[in-house]
Amino acid sequence: MKSRSSFTIAALAIAMLSGAGFAATPASAAQVRASLSTREAYVGSPVTLSVEIENADSSIVPQIPQVDGLEIKSMGSPSRSSQTTIINGRRSHRVSETHAWRIVPRRTGTFEIPPIDVNVGSQTVSTRPQRFVVTRSETGDLLFAEIMGHDDKIYVGQPMNLTLKIWVKPYYDRSLDIKLGEGDMWQMISADRSQWGVFSERMQELAENNQRPGGEEVLRADADGNEHSYYQYEIPATIYPKRPGEVDAEDVQIVVDYPTRLGKSRDPFDSFFGGRSSMFGGDMPSMFGPKLVVADARPIVATASVNATLVSDVPTENRPDDYRGTVGQYRIGTQATPTDVQAGDPITLYIGISGDGPMELVQAPSLSVLSSDFRVSDDPLAGIVQDDTKLFTVSIRPRKAGITEIPAIPLTFFDPNREEFVTVKSEPIKINVTPGNNLAASAIVGRQGNGSQPAADPQQPQSFVSYANFTGDNVLAVTRPMGDWPWTIAFVFPPLLFVGTVLYRNREHLGHWMTILPGSNQRATNAMLDRAQSPGEVIEALRMYLASCLNQPSSTMSPREMIAELRSRGFSGLDECEQTIEHCERCSYAASGGVDIAGLIQTAKSSVAGIGSAPNYSNTTMNSRLQGTQI
């Protein structure tokens, strides 16, 4: 018996060694197959399309063409598997990669997924077309959806309040004598397979806060006029129609997995749909005995109908020239700083517009009323939105002395309630403009030199003294003994050298941290200006400072582009900086002897110190001006 066992073991060992000696069979050619999870589906019920790529050294993710009536989305990264088999001493290895897509039919009919081209190695392999049929699970009187508007007529650009109403008939199990509650029936609505259209933002907000619309039981007539009990859910939304005609809401489609049978779960902790609600109306699952769950369901779909709401275009008759498409009711207010200036000095004018429309679409008002007494910057007014107010900033300059006010700024909008164009105005701003110097170059950049350096003041000490070839009496003055300083250097110098080396190697990172310290940008700019030897270097220092104000130290924008961007963000005091840059550019073409570098540097430092952010628009002054608009 023992010898027989030994013989068997030896035979198996020989067979294994023989099998190991055989060469593995070469990998078969790459194959590509496509398949569907089902050939018949319901509207709103998902179908899975799979594309399996086998024995491919490399492949490119196939692209699925869009098919009308189908919503196709990738299901993420592909799944991979490998299998090795040995049969009669021959080994084969199989590697596969499967890509999957989720297909949601939106209407009935027969659909075909066309052949899919897959690049496998150096060749292209195409799949066979995939056909399937889609039918509608009869909704009957189980589900209704309707979008209600609160106005019979609105205008393009006017806010329109809508409410999506969903009615779901409660499921009643006669054998168990149980009716599902409104919370249970809401969870039967498929949030991911439904299309919410203009209500998507509200649904996303509810999901992020782990909330749902409240439901109530109401009576509603079915198609035959007979009243039945329904759970009604309401979801609000606000839209701004962009074109005239009827409101289009065909993209709102509700999918419900309506129960057809209840069953019992043996897990006492298994609550209805993950424990979010219970079929008995409580928030906690029962811990005793089997739990009821939905055993079978079928998808039913309802496309929301829209009640008739006519969207009209804003009339062109009697439309003012300064009208810029604003619809609703608005107010305008202004502030200015400074208000005591010389002729030609810059004044920063802040304009605030508040209203009930989409503030991001509100354009800046016309400033033509300022053109006679003020020079207005040509920079576009982008504006920023804060809550229900949009803020604009513009730089203006009084043309002459004696101007006593900045006139009221008009704003024209179309009032849909009155069905007419309305113009409101801000309050005039009192200012005091005194005579000023002509805007010569010397007034912009300080004293203009004649090319020679200023003479040294004999009363001021020299910045340094040269001892070269000194022959005075004290040239050989006796010095103090060295004492212990060599030992001090021996102990102190190595650590200082180490610290200095570390700082030098990390000078870029250190410079970055230094720039974010309070006032560090201005100090760094002043230091750069002190080293400037030409107008171009002055411009570069100012450009670096403007970039730091934008939090873009490596900005490739031109100085003028950065100034325009800072104005749109509400920064003030940019006019002197802009004039300094303009003068530096002119000086770049002048002879070097005619440029007062010291004057340019001094004025550049002054312009840097004068740049500041906009005042707070939420203060009492701006609020009072917005409330005090005139019609």
Side-chain angles (χ1 to χ4, degrees), residues 203-211:
M203 293 300 298
Q204 180 67 26
E205 180 183 352
L206 291 173
E208 292 175 353
N209 296 324
N210 196 24
Q211 297 175 339

Side-chain angles (χ1 to χ4, degrees), residues 58 156 164 329 393 574:
S58 63
V156 172
L164 171 62
Q329 296 180 341
T393 305
L574 294 166

Side-chain angles (χ1 to χ4, degrees), residues 145-151 160-165 167 199 234-237 304-309:
E146 183 177 355
I147 298 177
M148 306 290 294
H150 301 279
D151 300 296
M160 179 180 182
N161 296 320
L162 299 176
T163 301
L164 171 62
K165 292 186 176 182
W167 292 270
F199 301 91
E234 296 186 357
I235 305 170
S305 61
V306 184
N307 65 340
T309 300

Side-chain angles (χ1 to χ4, degrees), residues 448 533-540 580-592 594-597 600:
Q448 182 77 9
Q533 300 293 327
S534 66
E537 294 180 357
V538 174
I539 294 177
E540 179 61 19
T580 303
I581 292 174
E582 291 176 357
H583 188 70
C584 287
E585 291 174 345
R586 291 195 298 267
C587 291
S588 298
Y589 298 95
S592 59
V595 178
D596 181 9
I597 295 296
L600 288 176

Side-chain angles (χ1 to χ4, degrees), residues 74-149:
S74 172
M75 296 180 65
S77 301
S79 60
R80 295 177 175 85
S81 64
S82 62
Q83 181 181 6
T84 301
T85 58
I86 301 176
I87 302 177
N88 296 328
R90 300 183 64 86
R91 184 178 64 181
S92 61
H93 185 65
R94 176 180 178 272
V95 179
S96 65
E97 179 180 271
T98 303
H99 300 261
W101 288 263
R102 183 171 180 268
I103 302 176
V104 179
R106 294 301 178 187
R107 58 177 175 82
T108 60
T110 300
F111 297 91
E112 179 176 285
I113 305 297
I116 302 169
D117 295 332
V118 182
N119 294 325
V120 181
S122 59
Q123 60 179 340
T124 300
V125 181
S126 299
T127 65
R128 294 181 179 179
Q130 302 295 313
R131 299 176 68 250
F132 66 102
V133 63
V134 177
T135 58
R136 184 181 299 275
S137 178
E138 293 299 329
T139 302
D141 60 349
L142 301 178
L143 175 67
F144 298 95
E146 183 177 355
I147 298 177
M148 306 290 294

Side-chain angles (χ1 to χ4, degrees), residues 155-182:
Y155 289 90
V156 172
Q158 180 183 355
M160 179 180 182
N161 296 320
L162 299 176
T163 301
L164 171 62
K165 292 186 176 182
I166 303 173
W167 292 270
V168 182
K169 193 172 185 179
Y171 174 74
Y172 178 69
D173 190 306
R174 298 184 181 277
S175 61
L176 298 175
D177 192 22
I178 291 177
K179 184 175 74 172
L180 300 188
E182 59 90 14

Side-chain angles (χ1 to χ4, degrees), residues 25-294:
T25 58
S28 59
Q31 299 181 2
V32 179
R33 291 184 293 271
S35 61
L36 291 171
S37 60
T38 181
R39 293 291 180 176
E40 184 174 359
Y42 291 115
V43 174
S45 181
V47 177
T48 301
L49 170 66
S50 301
V51 175
E52 183 181 13
I53 305 172
E54 183 179 331
N55 295 331
D57 295 333
S58 63
S59 62
I60 299 178
V61 179
Q63 298 295 322
I64 306 299
Q66 292 297 321
V67 179
D68 182 43
L70 301 180
E71 184 180 289
I72 305 176
K73 293 184 179 180
S74 172
M75 296 180 65
S77 301
S79 60
R80 295 177 175 85
S81 64
S82 62
Q83 181 181 6
T84 301
T85 58
I86 301 176
I87 302 177
N88 296 328
R90 300 183 64 86
R91 184 178 64 181
S92 61
H93 185 65
R94 176 180 178 272
V95 179
S96 65
E97 179 180 271
T98 303
H99 300 261
W101 288 263
R102 183 171 180 268
I103 302 176
V104 179
R106 294 301 178 187
R107 58 177 175 82
T108 60
T110 300
F111 297 91
E112 179 176 285
I113 305 297
I116 302 169
D117 295 332
V118 182
N119 294 325
V120 181
S122 59
Q123 60 179 340
T124 300
V125 181
S126 299
T127 65
R128 294 181 179 179
Q130 302 295 313
R131 299 176 68 250
F132 66 102
V133 63
V134 177
T135 58
R136 184 181 299 275
S137 178
E138 293 299 329
T139 302
D141 60 349
L142 301 178
L143 175 67
F144 298 95
E146 183 177 355
I147 298 177
M148 306 290 294
H150 301 279
D151 300 296
D152 295 333
K153 178 181 177 181
I154 64 170
Y155 289 90
V156 172
Q158 180 183 355
M160 179 180 182
N161 296 320
L162 299 176
T163 301
L164 171 62
K165 292 186 176 182
I166 303 173
W167 292 270
V168 182
K169 193 172 185 179
Y171 174 74
Y172 178 69
D173 190 306
R174 298 184 181 277
S175 61
L176 298 175
D177 192 22
I178 291 177
K179 184 175 74 172
L180 300 188
E182 59 90 14
D184 298 323
M185 293 306 298
W186 170 258
Q187 293 188 67
M188 305 306 297
I189 298 177
S190 177
D192 57 341
R193 284 184 286 146
S194 299
Q195 287 182 303
W196 300 102
V198 296
F199 301 91
S200 298
E201 184 176 349
R202 177 56 179 165
M203 293 300 298
Q204 180 67 26
E205 180 183 352
L206 291 173
E208 292 175 353
N209 296 324
N210 196 24
Q211 297 175 339
R212 66 172 179 84
E216 62 175 340
E217 189 170 3
V218 298
L219 292 178
R220 188 185 193 280
D222 59 15
D224 298 328
N226 301 318
E227 287 190 334
H228 296 280
S229 174
Y230 288 87
Y231 293 133
Q232 176 182 290
Y233 309 93
E234 296 186 357
I235 305 170
T238 300
I239 65 172
Y240 300 91
K242 298 181 180 180
R243 59 179 181 270
E246 293 185 356
V247 177
D248 183 12
E250 294 182 355
D251 57 346
V252 178
Q253 190 178 75
I254 311 302
V255 179
V256 175
D257 292 316
Y258 201 85
T260 58
R261 183 174 66 88
L262 300 182
K264 294 182 179 181
S265 172
R266 296 184 179 180
D267 186 356
F269 297 96
D270 185 16
S271 62
F272 185 62
F273 278 95
R276 290 181 292 177
S277 66
S278 167
M279 286 190 291
F280 300 103
D283 294 330
M284 295 295 295
S286 173
M287 299 180 62
F288 305 97
K291 178 68 178 178
L292 287 176
V293 296
V294 174

